Amino acid sequence: MNSPVLIACAHGTRNVEGQAAIRQVMAEIEALRPGLTVVEAYVDVQEPELGGVVAGLPEGTPAVVVPLLLSTGYHVKVDIPKAIKSRPEVTAAPPLGPDPRLAELLAARLRAAGLGEGDGVLLAAAGSSLPDGSVDSEEQARQLAELLPNKVRVAYGASAEPNVPDGVAALRAELTGAEVTGAEVTDDGGRVVVSSYLLATGYFHDQLSKAGADVVTAPLLPSPVLAEIALERYDAAVAARS
């Protein structure tokens, strides 16, 4: 019996580098699982749109939509179910995050950016109008905090609070208070480092550099970890339907 089609569903971006990074994940999925049919789809900005991809599958073709997304937000809760509701042979897997492997990758990006022990870390997620997205991001921040001696807080690019500029300001104030010794403020550490909890470059990542932080890390991609997690999500969804 042939394996179900894996529909790799990303958000979509107009950023050319971001587009290439997502397509690289899809290529890595194919390389890790030779013979598996991997089809690209998007919920916003780019084509092909997920609903059209699902509608274009031959009737009765089993498939699993794997969200190349980092949390359970509107796209996972609403857009993907809407796209597959008329096709019972098509199911959806959970998003890529939260996951301990992503925490390890975030920590590696922070170390590469020169994170010091006295710095504060602000995990900057895209944000969601649904509370599940914040819960997922907070869990990812908790996993990251287990790997670091630093203060770790969370902020959002849109649709949730605090926003990233406010999060930077609040964390800087928190660090400054922690560094006060008598009437002096020490010069050791105290920087605010934004940890980009985004898959690739694009609009949201570009905004992080305008939020007032001292350092902004690179996004999660490129990394083979994302393809590995995507396949794990796919396999779990296939097992659940059998």
Side-chain angles (χ1 to χ4, degrees):
M1 182 176 179
N2 292 333
S3 298
V5 172
L6 189 158
I7 302 175
C9 181
H11 181 277
T13 177
R14 294 181 178 87
N15 182 283
V16 175
E17 290 182 13
Q19 293 174 358
I22 293 297
R23 291 196 173 106
Q24 179 63 30
V25 175
M26 298 176 188
E28 289 169 351
I29 292 171
E30 291 178 320
L32 286 170
R33 191 69 56 87
L36 176 64
T37 300
V38 179
V39 179
E40 71 177 307
Y42 302 91
V43 289
D44 201 1
V45 182
Q46 281 182 253
E47 298 288 341
E49 187 267 333
L50 176 61
V53 170
V54 172
L57 291 173
E59 199 72 32
T61 301
V64 176
V65 177
V66 177
L68 300 185
L69 302 166
L70 293 172
S71 62
T72 306
Y74 188 88
H75 296 307
V76 171
K77 284 278 203 175
V78 178
D79 289 336
I80 292 175
K82 180 180 178 181
I84 68 175
K85 67 178 181 180
S86 64
R87 300 292 291 268
E89 71 274 29
V90 180
T91 57
L96 303 178
D99 191 280
R101 288 163 289 186
L102 295 180
E104 294 279 2
L105 184 54
L106 289 164
R109 294 283 186 267
L110 285 161
R111 294 182 186 113
L115 181 70
E117 287 191 8
D119 297 336
V121 174
L122 188 70
L123 186 73
S128 171
S129 58
L130 301 182
D132 287 356
S134 296
V135 170
D136 284 354
S137 297
E138 288 164 5
E139 171 58 20
Q140 192 65 73
R142 186 195 66 76
Q143 293 178 8
L144 177 60
E146 290 183 345
L147 303 177
L148 303 172
N150 311 75
K151 293 179 184 292
V152 178
R153 305 291 182 260
V154 187
Y156 303 94
S159 303
E161 296 294 335
N163 62 44
V164 176
D166 287 350
V168 169
L171 181 52
R172 192 178 300 284
E174 188 177 349
L175 293 170
T176 300
E179 295 293 329
V180 172
T181 305
E184 299 292 328
V185 178
T186 69
D187 293 327
D188 297 331
R191 300 181 308 165
V192 173
V193 181
V194 167
S195 176
S196 178
Y197 189 44
L198 301 168
L199 286 178
T201 53
Y203 174 79
F204 283 121
H205 184 77
D206 290 344
Q207 297 308 300
L208 298 183
S209 64
K210 305 173 184 178
D214 299 289
V215 180
V216 177
T217 70
L220 294 171
L221 293 174
S223 170
V225 169
L226 281 301
E228 294 167 6
I229 296 173
L231 273 173
E232 187 175 289
R233 301 289 187 264
Y234 168 84
D235 288 339
V238 171
R241 65 190 284 168
S242 60

